[in-house]
Every structure is written in C-alpha cells, then in structure tokens.
Amino acid sequence: MAWLILGIAIVTEICWALSLKWAATLGSWQASAVPIALSFLNMGLLALAMKGIPAGTAYAVWTGLGAVGVIIGGVLFFGDRVNPAQIAFMAMIVVGVVGTKLFASA
C-alpha cells in the first residue's frame, strides 16, 4: 500500500511543479492557490508513504520520477524542448529509480 501511496504522491508532485508554471502564466492569486494546495497534499502523501518505505528510498523514487515526469509534462503542455542528451540522462534516472525500488527493503 505504501508504494501505491508513493505513486500517487509522484503524480501529485508532477502536477504541483507543472501548476507552478501554469500559475505563473496566468498571474492571478486564484491560480497561485492551486500549487499551494497541491504542495500540502503532496507532502502529506509522501509522509504517509514513508510510514511503510524507508525515507531515503521513498525520497529518491519521488524526486527522480517527479523530475522525469515534470520534464515530460513540460514538453507535452508547455512546448519545452529536450535534446537527446537530456533524454539519455532521464533514462539513467529511471534506471536508478528502478534499481532503488528493486533493492529496497520494504
């Protein structure tokens, strides 16, 4: 169950980071409330996941997949560009996260 919660936290992390850019493009206080609300939800889910997963493992998976997800979301929603070297390094992050998960004790 902790891994499922961590997965939801990762999705929330990606939405949070992308909502920061979205809110900046709108420039209203109402839009700024979205990333604030998502940050509380995000941290709560991460903390809940850490009840069943070691903190270092949970944080490594959360930040790694969150970073890759934000890059992909930036490409899809904001027209951000990535080059082949960035794609290769993103693949290495995913390999590192998979290895972290495979060898985690929880």
Side-chain angles (χ1 to χ4, degrees):
M1 187 59 141
W3 285 103
L4 177 62
I5 294 168
L6 183 60
I8 296 168
I10 292 165
V11 172
T12 307
E13 168 77 357
I14 294 165
C15 292
W16 166 79
L18 293 172
S19 74
L20 288 172
K21 186 165 183 171
W22 171 78
T25 61
L26 294 181
S28 69
W29 70 268
Q30 295 95 338
S32 298
V34 173
I36 292 169
L38 285 171
S39 68
F40 282 104
L41 178 61
N42 187 18
M43 290 298 134
L45 288 167
L46 179 61
L48 189 59
M50 285 183 179
K51 286 184 172 184
I53 303 170
T57 301
Y59 188 73
V61 171
W62 179 74
T63 56
L65 293 183
V68 171
V70 171
I71 293 168
I72 294 169
V75 169
L76 295 174
F77 298 115
F78 299 109
D80 295 348
R81 297 186 188 272
V82 295
N83 60 47
Q86 289 173 301
I87 293 170
F89 284 110
M90 288 181 353
M92 285 194 281
I93 290 171
V94 172
V95 168
V97 167
V98 169
T100 300
K101 164 75 171 93
L102 288 175
F103 293 99
S105 58

